[in-house]
Amino acid sequence: MPSPLVLASASPRRLDLLSRIGLVPAVVDPAEIDETPLKQEGPRPYALRLARAKAEAVAPRHHGAFVLAADTVVACGARILPKAEDADTARRCLSLLSGRRHRVYTGVCVVAPDGRLALRVVQTVVGFAVLSPDRVQQYIDSGEWDGKAGGYAIQGMAEVFVTGLHGSWSNVVGLPLRETDCLLGGLGFRRG
């Protein structure tokens, strides 16, 4: 009998992405951790630290399971952009990203039933067109930005902002599928 998969995230986007590769977690158990960046912490180590902290917080509650956790960070230079919780934050993020390239990092962590742990951080470079104030307002009015890192969701209306993408599209959505599949397989996860 294969060990179950536990997703340490409440993100419906991650559930959808996993289903695209035939993975349906037996349990969804989001980690409740402090996500405040540490002083002088860069976006790559921040994404990795949070993914590991989430997996390690949830794993003790699910003996005999594989626990998968991830954290996605949008960065403009060394600056970590927040998850947009209000329209003003989303507007500031979009204005900053307008006409520029930025990076999206997702830290992925898998804890195996025997306690072994595998980590990876994946980077995707995304280019945005210059966004007029009217275009930004249209996007704000859509509400798609709500709760999204960097104030946008590439899998929705914001896809028209993208002038170029180098790396994994699913990484920008919230879970790099190729790397996640490799981490699970490397620790011995077998599909049921």
Side-chain angles (χ1 to χ4, degrees):
M1 181 89 165
S3 296
L5 176 64
V6 174
L7 178 62
S9 171
S11 167
R13 293 166 302 285
R14 290 190 180 114
L15 272 174
D16 178 58
L17 287 168
L18 286 171
S19 73
R20 291 179 186 202
I21 58 170
L23 292 175
V24 179
V27 177
V28 174
D29 185 4
E32 298 296 327
I33 64 165
D34 180 4
E35 297 191 16
T36 307
L38 302 174
K39 196 169 190 147
Q40 305 297 319
E41 186 173 35
R44 179 184 291 268
Y46 173 68
L48 208 51
R49 178 178 64 83
L50 289 188
R52 183 176 189 151
K54 289 175 181 181
E56 289 177 336
V58 171
R61 301 195 293 250
H62 300 280
H63 297 286
F66 284 86
V67 175
L68 168 64
D71 195 81
T72 301
V73 177
V74 175
C76 195
R79 181 177 179 182
I80 297 170
L81 299 188
K83 287 183 183 172
E85 303 296 342
D86 58 61
D88 286 339
T89 302
R91 186 176 285 103
R92 281 193 305 275
C93 288
L94 292 170
S95 295
L96 183 64
L97 298 174
S98 175
R100 300 175 71 172
R101 289 188 317 161
H102 62 277
R103 287 175 168 66
V104 178
Y105 298 95
T106 300
V108 181
C109 183
V110 176
V111 178
D114 62 8
R116 289 179 298 140
L117 185 140
L119 286 161
R120 181 161 303 159
V121 66
V122 177
Q123 171 189 283
T124 303
V125 178
V126 182
F128 262 26
V130 174
L131 307 176
S132 70
D134 285 346
R135 197 60 183 265
V136 170
Q137 189 58 50
Q138 286 173 351
Y139 191 71
I140 297 300
D141 292 345
S142 78
E144 268 190 3
W145 52 266
D146 192 16
K148 306 296 189 304
Y152 76 93
I154 197 171
Q155 70 275 20
M157 292 171 57
E159 193 162 359
V160 299
F161 302 161
V162 177
T163 59
L165 186 140
H166 182 72
S168 167
W169 180 85
S170 65
N171 181 54
V172 183
V173 178
L175 191 67
L177 292 177
R178 172 74 184 141
E179 293 80 0
T180 298
D181 189 59
C182 288
L183 287 176
L184 285 164
L187 287 176
F189 178 77
R190 290 186 300 128
R191 295 166 187 258

